[in-house]
Amino acid sequence: MRLTARQLNRATLARQLLLRREPLTVADAVRRLVALQAQEAPSPYVALWNRLTDFDAKELDVAFADREVVKATLLRITLHAVHAEDYPYFHTAMRRTVRAARLGDSRFTSSGLSIADADALLPHLAEFVASPRTSAEIEGFLKDRYGEPKRGAWWALRTFAPLHHAPTGGPWSFGARSSFLDAGTATSGPESEDESVQRLVLRYLRAFGPASVPDMAQFTLLKRSVLRLAVQALGDEVEELEGPGGVTLFDVPGAPLPAEDTAAPPRLLPMWDSVLLAYSDRSRIIPPEYRPIVIRRNGDVLPTLLVDGFVAGVWRPVEGGIEATAFHRLDEEAWQGLATEAEGLAAFLADRGTTVYRRYAHWWTKQLPSAEVRLLP
């Protein structure tokens, strides 16, 4: 059986809790979703609001505070919120890639430190961040150790060292100034990189499958050769399927594959929602003509409208509600569904007393293509 593009779309929506909201705890939801992109502090909250029944933002506050859900640099060398039990495996799987990207960069080499120096620093850094420390405090620690500033060293270490971002307060748990805390994996983390990559592949397929090796590489930035070996090592734990155009896909046996005509309700996804970034073939969710509008050249990924399971426009909070920009004409039923979602989202955001994504408003001044703009609800 060859899967159609719409079947793949519905599979993603089902596994990402976007066909219907479900009554899960925050921790269980994050585990199921694998990783919530978290460069912008509100995004994990908005992502879960879209996916959970009666989502209470305070539950995520508590999960971050208790370190049941942790924020760290992981997949694609960007900040993600993941379940604490997944973090050691994800970090071990990504460590070689992230470490090479940072220690080979001129920003690190200009510090005058060697790779051996960076490795030798790790246990001392872990001891220093046994309690939360700011970047300024850590740079001071490095200056005291070497007698001069070593900002390039901290730029590299903050990315590949086993560190969590410590909550700093504010409406979304994390403010503009980051604070760091030892992840505590030096003695308790998994020993095998291969085992960790295999676990990451399985977790990815459960949350985003069926998917190709290039899709896995896009989600993680791991080399395709590494991922192919992981798939081979998993044996019967994965199955091979055929996608559109005969592309080879992999999946977890028995995972949901809804029919392509399954109804998909409208949603207002946050910036950098993982479904927009989890595939090499972004057309699974984003029509190709909309990709450069939604995913900007500098890496910004705008908050999007999902209609019938596909990106149909973008949204932003404004005075009076949610401004929705549709890239093509929508029927009144779609607009009514978006208005209902917008009413709930506006109330959710207002409860936190904040306007999210304000610093990205400049994209809306650059003539986003639109068929219609409405203030919702």
Side-chain angles (χ1 to χ4, degrees):
M1 179 183 69
R2 178 179 291 185
L3 298 172
T4 67
R6 284 185 67 87
Q7 282 178 303
L8 294 179
N9 171 270
R10 273 15 185 198
T12 295
L13 298 179
R15 300 181 198 191
Q16 284 290 300
L17 310 180
L18 291 170
L19 286 182
R20 64 189 61 83
R21 289 180 169 90
E22 297 195 19
L24 301 174
T25 66
V26 159
D28 286 344
V30 172
R31 192 197 305 270
R32 180 161 162 180
L33 298 168
V34 177
L36 301 176
Q37 200 104 352
Q39 293 99 312
E40 284 294 306
S43 283
Y45 290 83
V46 180
L48 291 174
W49 177 85
N50 273 277
R51 291 164 164 90
L52 299 184
T53 305
D54 300 323
F55 170 59
D56 184 351
K58 293 179 182 177
E59 188 179 348
L60 183 53
D61 295 339
V62 172
F64 278 133
D66 292 346
R67 299 177 78 182
E68 188 176 22
V69 173
V70 298
K71 179 177 176 177
T73 299
L74 290 166
L75 312 164
R76 296 186 303 283
I77 320 182
T78 55
L79 286 171
H80 285 82
V82 302
H83 194 285
E85 293 177 0
D86 283 331
Y87 172 82
Y89 294 92
F90 293 176
H91 180 263
T92 299
M94 295 300 306
R95 181 174 53 203
R96 184 191 300 266
T97 295
V98 179
R99 185 173 178 275
R102 289 305 184 256
L103 296 185
D105 191 282
S106 61
R107 280 168 284 189
F108 171 74
T109 57
S110 65
S111 71
L113 299 182
S114 67
I115 292 175
D117 291 333
D119 289 338
L121 261 175
L122 290 175
H124 302 288
L125 176 64
E127 184 178 353
F128 185 71
V129 295
S131 57
R133 302 283 189 171
T134 65
S135 286
E137 288 174 322
I138 296 172
E139 287 172 353
F141 157 76
L142 294 174
K143 181 180 179 181
D144 290 343
R145 184 174 181 84
Y146 292 103
E148 60 181 352
K150 294 293 181 182
R151 292 184 180 86
W154 172 230
W155 172 83
L157 288 165
R158 67 186 292 169
T159 306
F160 79 86
L163 300 170
H164 295 161
H165 283 235
T168 55
W172 309 107
S173 291
F174 299 91
R177 295 184 180 181
S178 298
S179 184
F180 300 86
L181 189 62
D182 175 46
T185 59
T187 58
S188 61
E191 295 181 2
S192 168
E193 179 181 344
D194 291 342
E195 174 194 7
S196 296
V197 173
Q198 291 164 30
R199 176 168 173 143
L200 175 55
V201 166
L202 280 178
R203 300 283 287 105
Y204 169 79
L205 290 176
R206 290 191 185 106
F208 294 102
S212 66
V213 167
D215 290 331
M216 301 174 205
Q218 174 63 40
F219 181 71
T220 61
L221 281 191
L222 294 175
K223 292 181 178 179
R224 294 183 183 185
S225 58
V226 170
L227 292 163
R228 289 191 188 98
L229 289 174
V231 170
Q232 292 170 9
L234 287 167
D236 293 341
E237 291 186 76
V238 299
E239 63 181 2
E240 188 173 315
L241 302 170
E242 185 178 356
V247 66
T248 299
L249 303 174
F250 299 95
D251 203 3
V252 178
L257 284 173
E260 64 178 27
D261 61 354
T262 301
R267 291 289 184 259
L268 281 71
L269 298 182
M271 291 194 75
W272 289 287
D273 194 278
S274 291
V275 297
L276 306 180
L277 296 166
Y279 304 101
S280 176
D281 180 5
R282 304 281 173 80
S283 67
R284 185 180 295 214
I285 298 288
I286 309 174
E289 63 270 28
Y290 299 155
R291 177 174 173 172
I293 307 169
V294 170
I295 302 177
R296 313 304 297 189
R297 289 185 178 180
N298 72 339
D300 287 347
V301 181
L302 303 185
T304 52
L305 310 175
L306 279 194
V307 175
D308 189 32
F310 294 90
V311 169
V314 294
W315 65 268
R316 61 171 174 167
V318 296
E319 186 175 351
I322 302 294
E323 181 186 278
T325 299
F327 298 151
H328 59 259
R329 289 287 176 185
L330 304 177
D331 60 32
E332 283 306 312
E333 182 179 1
W335 277 117
Q336 183 55 53
L338 289 170
T340 300
E341 289 294 301
E343 183 175 15
L345 179 58
F348 174 74
L349 297 176
D351 187 57
R352 291 266 147 165
T354 182
T355 299
V356 297
Y357 309 139
R358 183 176 296 167
R359 69 191 182 102
Y360 300 96
H362 61 94
W363 293 120
W364 275 259
T365 68
K366 298 177 181 178
Q367 297 182 333
L368 292 173
S370 65
E372 188 173 5
V373 179
R374 291 193 185 185
L375 177 62
L376 305 176

